Amino acid sequence: MKILFAASEAAPFFKSGGLGDVLEALPAELAKNKEDEITVILPLYKKIKGNTALALSFVTSFSMPSPLSEDYVGVFRLKWGKVNYLFIDNEYYFCRDGAPYGHGDDGARFVFFSHAILECLQHIGYYPDIIHLNDWQTAAVPVLLKAFYGALPAYERIRIVFTIHNIEYQGYMPYDFAANVMGLPCEYHDVMRYGDSVNLMKSAIMLADRVTTVSRTYAQELKYAYFSHGLDPIIKQNEYKLCGIVNGINTALYDPKRDKALPAPFSSTDMSGKAICKASLQEELGLPVRDDVPLIAMISRLVSHKGLELVECVLDDILSRDVQLVVLGTGDGKYEDMFRFAEYTHPDKMKAEIRFDSALASRIYAASDLFLMPSKSEPCGLSQLIAMRYGSIPIVRETGGLYDTVPALNTETLSGRGFTFQAFNAHHMLDAIDRAIAFFHDKKKCERHRRALVRYNSSWRASAEEYLTIYKSLLA
């Protein structure tokens, strides 16, 4: 099979969140199958274009008609491991200073990218069996395929899989966007329309051959208005082609036995290095070096839907316990300031690292005893998987992928993986934290459970097989 992944980001070239991790790890896992040819296509952002360590090779260039002009499209290629990468070049749209997202013309930029994906196939002589799209930035591909390429024999057998990583961002545009920017004939305007606007994600759900989300529970949650951000009627209408496949993590990258960012390695058979990591982090961050106090970690975007409003309600209560709390991340100013102030008032218990630092993140995962992730909604979540890989016991709300990957821990039998709470309620969260603290002090059981967490298989292998089953079913 020839499988083309299309996305707005992929590590190691550019990553802003979990999507970038998925688009690095899943194609690499699928590429282990010798009979499958895996390609990823991305925008050629300024950050990528200026990276002299990447030996990009020029493939071709062409002009692509748009409603208002002819646009230049350049195509570059790179082989990274066993995965082929294609990059779409247009300096006006992608060679910009600052973050690749958040520009006023993001809709036009990513519709251009979606159109260029389809147009470049005939210029490079490459026709995939499957195009696997990801989130709203590539959601225009299905309608563009039907409107402009559906009659071409080489495109007829292409099947589309669309994955919703986060339904909160849907690609809403003014209603005239379909005609004036996308150039779509009138017969395609209805599929684009949702309310008084164009909704790119809605059109992809309607027109894709299969729709997936990144956990089984999230796939069910999206049928309800609380989680769907207005798209629940469309989800219900298309649930016959919807399924949830939980994300994995790159277990070679996230490996406490080989992670060079750690002061000491450890594994499920020898956990002694974890204590060294904890003492080293406490010293690094200026916290009292104590092995008898539970170190609770949060590594997150500091935004409301990550459950920060719950933490805000009971932060003083948490810090009244004999604990240490370390937070790493950036986000809304009010939460950044909240944690900074808590550090100021509790310097021996609280450390707020308001920044992005992947090496420090590894050290925090490895050092922490407990990992707090009280999300209001969580399509899948990777942080809880990474935390378990490093022997940190998760404390999570039962939602989305957190429910699928962290079954409630029975402290007698040690079945399950972490401490959970169901209602989006600050004191229910505090109760879960208290139960986790009590378990931390049961040293023998806690150590046994940590070893089990490090052994837990959170790799992409099983999930990759589920995607392969979907691809094969579409081509049968």
Side-chain angles (χ1 to χ4, degrees):
M1 268 188 301
K2 293 180 180 179
I3 303 161
L4 175 65
F5 285 88
S8 58
E9 62 180 77
F13 308 106
F14 167 72
K15 182 183 85 166
S16 69
L19 175 62
D21 286 317
V22 172
L23 266 293
E24 177 185 31
L26 177 56
E29 185 65 42
L30 291 169
K32 294 177 181 178
N33 300 317
K34 293 182 179 180
E35 64 272 21
D36 297 321
E37 180 184 334
I38 309 300
T39 303
V40 179
I41 191 164
L42 301 165
L44 187 57
Y45 297 120
K46 185 175 184 178
K47 179 181 177 181
I48 302 172
K49 198 170 189 177
N51 187 347
T52 56
L54 299 176
L56 300 178
S57 59
F58 176 76
V59 180
T60 189
S61 65
F62 51 88
S63 292
M64 184 175 69
S66 71
L68 300 177
S69 64
E70 294 258 329
D71 290 318
Y72 164 84
V73 180
V75 184
F76 289 78
R77 176 181 284 130
L78 177 69
K79 184 84 169 183
W80 190 271
K82 296 181 180 180
V83 179
N84 303 304
Y85 286 86
L86 295 171
F87 298 90
I88 296 297
D89 180 38
N90 180 289
E91 293 206 345
Y92 174 74
Y93 286 125
F94 302 130
C95 199
R96 300 184 181 185
D97 293 323
Y101 304 142
H103 299 271
D105 61 343
D106 276 358
R109 295 169 69 225
F110 289 108
V111 163
F112 165 81
F113 175 56
S114 298
H115 200 165
I117 290 167
L118 295 167
E119 181 67 21
C120 85
L121 301 182
Q122 57 189 333
H123 290 271
I124 64 176
Y126 166 73
Y127 297 99
D129 300 298
I130 302 288
I131 299 180
H132 189 150
L133 308 171
N134 296 272
D135 272 351
W136 80 265
Q137 293 92 344
T138 55
V141 168
V143 70
L144 294 171
L145 176 63
K146 291 185 180 296
F148 300 125
Y149 300 92
L152 301 177
Y155 288 80
E156 282 181 346
R157 69 188 304 272
I158 294 175
R159 297 292 176 261
I160 299 291
V161 175
F162 178 67
T163 294
I164 302 168
H165 296 265
N166 190 341
I167 205 167
E168 183 175 354
Y169 307 102
Q170 299 175 7
Y172 270 106
M173 305 297 158
Y175 181 64
D176 61 2
F177 186 88
N180 295 344
V181 178
M182 300 180 72
L184 290 174
C186 293
E187 60 264 32
Y188 292 96
H189 289 191
D190 281 348
V191 79
M192 302 302 301
R193 184 171 185 166
Y194 200 54
D196 295 328
S197 304
V198 160
N199 185 310
L200 295 174
M201 183 175 282
K202 177 254 186 177
S203 72
I205 294 169
M206 296 288 291
L207 297 177
D209 298 292
R210 289 296 295 272
V211 179
T212 72
T213 68
V214 290
S215 69
R216 288 178 289 278
T217 297
Y218 191 57
Q220 296 304 312
E221 289 175 341
L222 291 186
K223 299 173 188 176
Y224 300 93
Y226 181 83
F227 295 97
S228 70
H229 292 271
L231 277 183
D232 46 296
I234 305 301
I235 294 291
K236 290 175 184 175
Q237 185 180 341
N238 291 274
E239 66 178 303
Y240 68 94
K241 58 184 176 183
L242 174 70
C243 71
I245 301 174
V246 71
N247 286 338
I249 59 171
N250 184 335
T251 52
L253 177 65
Y254 299 111
D255 184 354
K257 192 174 182 178
R258 298 178 177 84
D259 192 334
K260 296 186 184 302
L262 306 188
F266 59 92
S267 67
S268 62
T269 57
D270 181 5
M271 294 286 288
S272 58
K274 186 167 177 66
I276 298 172
C277 290
K278 180 176 178 178
S280 175
L281 184 78
Q282 289 170 325
E283 185 174 1
E284 176 187 350
L285 299 183
L287 293 169
V289 178
R290 295 176 55 191
D291 63 358
D292 64 331
V293 63
L295 177 60
I296 304 172
M298 291 188 74
I299 300 174
S300 174
R301 284 186 295 121
L302 304 182
V303 293
S304 180
H305 84 265
K306 291 294 185 180
L308 273 296
E309 59 194 276
L310 301 187
V311 177
E312 183 180 22
C313 283
V314 294
L315 183 55
D316 287 339
D317 297 279
I318 294 170
L319 294 175
S320 72
R321 275 71 169 161
D322 188 19
V323 299
Q324 293 175 349
L325 177 62
V326 175
V327 175
L328 174 65
T330 61
D332 290 350
K334 77 168 189 172
Y335 294 124
E336 293 181 352
D337 291 341
M338 174 184 78
F339 287 121
R340 286 191 183 105
F341 183 73
E343 178 183 336
Y344 173 76
T345 56
H346 299 81
D348 59 336
K349 290 187 173 186
M350 173 76 210
K351 188 64 180 177
E353 294 292 327
I354 308 302
R355 57 193 169 108
F356 175 82
D357 186 328
S358 58
L360 178 58
S362 285
R363 296 196 294 276
I364 293 173
Y365 282 123
S368 61
D369 300 296
L370 307 171
F371 189 85
L372 180 59
M373 199 169 175
S375 304
K376 180 181 289 185
S377 64
E378 195 65 60
C380 178
L382 299 179
S383 295
Q384 81 281 8
L385 298 175
I386 301 168
M388 290 190 288
R389 178 75 168 151
Y390 286 78
S392 184
I393 303 170
I395 304 168
V396 304
R397 194 172 90 80
E398 295 176 5
T399 185
L402 299 178
Y403 181 77
D404 290 346
T405 59
V406 187
L409 174 63
N410 183 317
T411 56
E412 295 301 318
T413 64
L414 297 187
S415 61
R417 299 191 192 102
F419 293 90
T420 71
F421 62 101
Q422 188 174 43
F424 192 69
N425 179 286
H427 288 90
H428 289 201
M429 178 190 73
L430 187 60
D431 174 71
I433 292 171
D434 284 337
R435 287 184 279 122
I437 292 170
F439 184 70
F440 165 82
H441 290 293
D442 190 339
K443 293 298 184 184
K444 288 185 178 180
K445 283 186 177 180
C446 186
E447 181 70 10
R448 281 174 55 198
H449 186 58
R450 281 178 175 167
R451 291 176 185 272
L453 290 181
V454 176
R455 288 194 299 269
Y456 170 60
N457 182 8
S458 52
S459 76
W460 271 100
R461 186 66 256 164
S463 299
E465 289 295 334
E466 290 187 62
Y467 280 112
L468 280 173
T469 299
I470 289 175
Y471 301 152
K472 290 174 182 176
S473 71
L474 292 177
L475 299 177

